Amino acid sequence: MRITDQIEKDFILAYKNKENEKVAVLRLIKAAFKNRQVELKRELSDAEALDVLIREVKQRQESVRQYSQAGREDLSSKESAEIEMINAYLPAKLTTEEMKEVALETINRLQVRDLKGMGQVMKVIGQKYPGRTDGRELSVIVRGLLSPQ
C-alpha cells in the first residue's frame, strides 16, 4: 500500500475513533502532501511522499530543540509525540553499527581515500537508504573513516 493511501486510511480511522492528536498530525501531513503535489502538478510517488515525511520530522526536531532551549517542555513534548507518530510511517533507521558497515562498504566501492570524497559517499548512502540514516551521525562516521589516523 502506498504511504499516502495508508495515511488517508489511518486518518479516517483516527477521526472515527476521536483520536484528536493523531487526527491533527495526519491532517498536517496530508496538507504537506497536497502542497507538494500542487508544486509538482502530479501525484506523489512513494519516494516523494517519504521525502515530505522526512522534512516534517526535521521541522519538528528543530522545534523540539528550540522549545527545549526556551524551557518550554510542554511544547517540546507535544512536538516529540508528533515525531513519534510520523516515524511510524518511515522505514526503520539504521543502527550506528549498520551505518558504519554501509559507510565502509561505500567508501571501498567508490575507492574514496580522503575527505574530498566525503560528499560523494554521503550522497550515495543517502540515495540508497532514504530516510533511514541520521545525517549528522553518518557525517561523523564517514569523516572518522576518511580522516588520516
Side-chain angles (χ1 to χ4, degrees):
M1 178 180 287
R2 296 182 53 213
I3 294 172
T4 52
D5 295 338
Q6 182 64 47
I7 289 177
E8 180 65 33
K9 180 180 166 189
D10 290 351
F11 173 78
I12 292 169
L13 186 63
Y15 188 81
K16 287 179 180 178
N17 293 333
K18 297 183 181 6
E19 298 173 51
N20 295 332
E21 293 84 13
K22 190 169 185 177
V23 167
V25 171
L26 293 176
R27 185 174 282 135
L28 290 172
I29 291 171
K30 286 176 47 170
F33 284 162
K34 190 67 169 175
N35 289 339
R36 184 70 178 139
Q37 194 174 341
V38 167
E39 286 175 25
L40 297 174
K41 297 179 183 170
R42 60 179 167 79
E43 290 291 318
L44 295 180
S45 68
D46 268 353
E48 292 163 339
L50 188 64
D51 288 340
V52 171
L53 290 176
I54 292 167
R55 193 170 357 130
E56 291 294 314
V57 168
K58 286 181 181 178
Q59 286 175 351
R60 282 165 179 77
Q61 287 171 336
E62 179 62 22
S63 296
V64 166
R65 188 183 64 74
Q66 289 178 357
Y67 288 144
S68 295
Q69 286 177 348
R72 295 294 310 263
E73 294 307 316
D74 55 329
L75 295 174
S76 175
S77 62
K78 178 182 178 286
E79 293 287 330
S80 295
E82 290 181 8
I83 290 170
E84 290 302 314
M85 284 184 223
I86 297 170
N87 277 337
Y89 298 99
L90 293 173
K93 298 277 187 197
L94 295 176
T95 65
T96 301
E97 287 303 314
E98 289 171 329
M99 280 195 279
K100 284 180 184 176
E101 290 174 22
V102 167
L104 193 56
E105 183 268 327
T106 305
I107 288 168
N108 290 333
R109 185 167 40 88
L110 297 175
Q111 298 178 347
V112 175
R113 299 290 169 238
D114 56 19
L115 286 173
K116 291 179 186 173
M118 182 174 168
Q120 182 184 12
V121 172
M122 295 289 292
K123 181 179 177 183
V124 168
I125 293 172
Q127 289 172 344
K128 189 172 181 182
Y129 300 96
R132 297 190 60 201
T133 60
D134 175 7
R136 290 185 181 120
E137 185 178 359
L138 182 62
S139 175
V140 169
I141 291 169
V142 172
R143 186 177 304 279
L145 292 171
L146 292 175
S147 294
Q149 306 303 337

